[in-house]
Amino acid sequence: MFELLRQHPFALLLVLALHGVLFAALLLNVNLAPDSRSGEPLEITTGDEVEVVQAEAVDAETFDRIQHEREVAEQEAIAEALREEEERRRAEEQRRLEEQRRREAEEQARREALEEAERARRQAQEEAERLEREREAAEQARREAEAERERAEQERREREEAERRAREEQERREQEEAERRAREEAERRAEAERELEEQRRRERMEEDMQRMAEAAERREAAQAAAERREAIEEWQAQASAVVQRRWREPADVSASDRATVHVRVNETGRIISFEVERCAGGPAFCASVEEAIERLRALPEPPDADAAARGVRIQFEPQ
């Protein structure tokens, strides 16, 4: 309640004024009441004719009831005044809130309108700038296309001139090349004839030299073969003589006894192996042949490796 009184000071003053009026009326009734001891009404006399008010005495219970009713009435009046003041305050607060909302809505609408106008202005400016850029780009493209056409035309003229010069140069080179080839062909034919004649001469000389070389090789080969045969025959004779000297001929040999032994040696004449290829005689004769070879460790050195590889065949027959 004290909070409400602080919030509504005008209502408090109004209630206090009503309360003062009621209290003054109460005092007036009390002064006008007759004396209860005499039971006679109080008479007030003035110079003028006045209306006589008949006051009635009331007891304490009635007075308390009246006082209570007045207090209740006062409280109800205060409550009613407070309610009216509260309603008025709420109405004022509602009106103020609505006014504030209206102002905020108007401000929001104004800001939105300004923002929309700013956006529209920026869009218009951007659109104008875009159109200007497009116009400049189109103009730049036109200028570049014009320059490209001029450059292409210039290049075409230069290319045609270069092709013309190239054709003339090519024709000149072809003519010079044809003349050069003709000269070279004539020189080549002459050179070919000279080379052919020189080749024929060299071939004849080579054929003569080949025949002479072949004849010399044949002579040398025949001489070498003869010398080799002589050397092999001499080596075979020496080897046979060495073996014959080492052979101990048995006493009971027959004049018809014969033996052939194939002896293999290395390049230095050392005996590698031997084989009795044929022995027509008694056991003593054949054994003496093998003993003669086994006692030997080497033969005279062969004339070459081929002779050593072929070996030597030694004939054994009684003396």
Side-chain angles (χ1 to χ4, degrees), residues 230-247 261-266 268-271 292-293 296-303 307-308 310-316:
E230 291 177 359
I232 291 175
E233 290 174 356
E234 183 179 357
W235 173 66
Q236 289 177 348
Q238 292 175 356
S240 179
V242 170
V243 173
Q244 290 293 338
R245 285 195 299 271
R246 293 296 185 92
W247 180 41
V261 181
H262 184 205
V263 181
R264 295 182 178 85
V265 297
N266 59 14
T268 61
R270 185 178 180 83
I271 296 174
I293 301 299
L296 291 174
R297 291 186 176 277
L299 295 176
E301 183 177 349
R310 292 183 179 184
V312 60
R313 284 180 174 80
I314 300 176
Q315 303 292 333
F316 288 87

Side-chain angles (χ1 to χ4, degrees), residues 81-94:
L82 291 175
R83 281 194 299 271
E84 291 176 357
E85 179 64 19
E86 180 66 18
E87 290 176 358
R88 187 189 63 78
R89 187 191 64 78
R90 289 180 180 177
E92 182 66 21
E93 183 69 18
Q94 183 66 26

Side-chain angles (χ1 to χ4, degrees), residues 4-5 17 25 34 61 90 99 106 125 178 188 243 264 283 288-289:
L4 291 175
L5 292 176
E61 182 178 355
R90 289 180 180 177
E99 181 66 20
E106 291 176 354
Q125 183 178 357
R188 187 185 62 78
V243 173
R264 295 182 178 85
S288 66
V289 169

